[in-house]
Amino acid sequence: MMVHQQYKTSLNTLLEDLKVHKESAWTYLYTNYQSMVISLVKKNGGDEEAGKEVFQNVIIDLHKNVERDKVREDSNLKNYIYTLAYNQWRVYLRNNKGKNDELDHDNSLLDESVNFDEEQYELFDDLSEIINHLGDKCQDLILSKYSKIKMSMAQIAEQMGFANARSATSQLNKCMEKARKEAVGILKSKGW
C-alpha cells in the first residue's frame, strides 16, 4: 500500500511504472478508478458488466497514451480517466443502441480541484452534435484524422478507399468546412 500512497502524490511515478508494466501501478488504477467508471456507466443505462468493459477499454487507451507520452505529468488522472470513460460509453451507446443522447454527468465523481462546469459539457455535446450531423463518411474521416490514434492521410486514404492522400485531404477539408458552418449556426443560436 505504500506504493499506492506514492502514486497519489506523484503522477510521474505512476506513469513511469505503467510504462514498465509494474503490477502495482495497474492495481492502483483498478483499485482507485474502476468503481468510478462503473458508476458513470450505470448512471447512464449500463450495468456493472458494461462498466467493467468500458474500464478495460479506458485502461487500454490510457496505456497507449502513456506509451506515447501523451499523458502530461500535470494532468488530473481522475478527470482524464472519467473523460475517456465518458467518451467510450457515448460511442458504445451510439454504435450499439442507436442512441446519441447526452449522458448524465456525475460531478461527484470528478476531482473538485478542477472545475468542470456545465458549459464545458455543453461544448463537448455541441461538438458531438456537429460531428453527428456530418454523415458517416465525414465522421469517419474526421475521427480517423483527429482521434487519439494518429493516422497519416495516406493511411486514412487506404483505409477509407480514397484514391490517394490528396483526395482524402480534399474530402477532409470539405468535411471540416461543413463542421465550421454547423458550429457557427450553433454558436449563433446560443447568442455568441
Side-chain angles (χ1 to χ4, degrees):
M1 283 314 246
M2 188 64 163
V3 174
H4 284 207
Q5 193 61 34
Q6 185 179 8
Y7 293 149
K8 286 184 179 185
T9 59
S10 174
L11 180 58
N12 187 43
T13 301
L14 176 62
L15 296 176
E16 290 303 317
D17 285 356
L18 289 172
K19 281 183 185 177
V20 295
H21 308 287
K22 200 167 185 182
E23 187 174 336
S24 61
W26 297 108
T27 302
Y28 175 80
L29 293 177
Y30 277 86
T31 303
N32 289 283
Y33 300 111
Q34 185 178 36
S35 62
M36 174 185 73
V37 171
I38 291 171
S39 178
L40 170 70
V41 169
K42 286 170 85 173
K43 183 176 176 104
N44 287 284
D47 58 16
E48 185 158 346
E49 198 58 39
K52 287 179 180 179
E53 185 176 332
V54 168
F55 186 73
Q56 276 301 121
N57 291 332
V58 165
I59 292 299
I60 291 167
D61 284 349
L62 177 64
H63 180 256
K64 288 176 186 173
N65 291 340
V66 167
E67 291 284 314
R68 295 181 182 128
D69 291 321
K70 292 191 177 216
V71 181
R72 297 187 339 234
E73 292 176 32
D74 63 343
S75 297
N76 181 301
L77 188 61
K78 186 175 187 178
N79 293 346
Y80 188 89
I81 289 172
Y82 179 92
T83 301
L84 288 175
Y86 177 88
N87 293 335
Q88 288 270 345
W89 188 241
R90 275 193 77 153
V91 168
Y92 173 83
L93 289 175
R94 185 180 71 219
N95 292 341
N96 297 307
K97 308 265 189 206
K99 290 183 175 179
N100 200 27
D101 300 336
E102 294 179 23
L103 300 183
D104 290 329
H105 293 284
D106 186 349
N107 289 332
S108 68
L109 299 174
L110 296 172
D111 187 341
E112 292 88 33
S113 67
V114 177
N115 291 328
F116 272 82
D117 59 24
E118 286 306 311
E119 192 173 298
Q120 288 170 308
Y121 290 128
E122 285 179 34
L123 179 60
F124 176 78
D125 291 331
D126 289 343
L127 290 172
S128 296
E129 183 181 334
I130 290 166
I131 290 173
N132 289 329
H133 281 135
L134 297 178
D136 291 340
K137 191 150 193 154
C138 277
Q139 284 180 33
D140 292 344
L141 190 55
I142 289 171
L143 293 174
S144 294
K145 180 62 181 169
Y146 298 107
S147 71
K148 293 178 289 258
I149 303 167
K150 300 291 183 209
M151 296 174 68
S152 70
M153 289 310 290
Q155 291 170 314
I156 293 170
E158 184 178 325
Q159 176 186 336
M160 295 187 66
F162 288 101
N164 53 40
R166 181 176 279 163
S167 297
T169 301
S170 175
Q171 185 61 44
L172 176 63
N173 290 337
K174 289 176 186 174
C175 291
M176 292 303 291
E177 185 57 35
K178 281 173 65 175
R180 279 184 210 88
K181 287 179 181 174
E182 189 80 28
V184 167
I186 287 175
L187 291 174
K188 282 183 179 177
S189 75
K190 293 185 176 210
W192 286 40

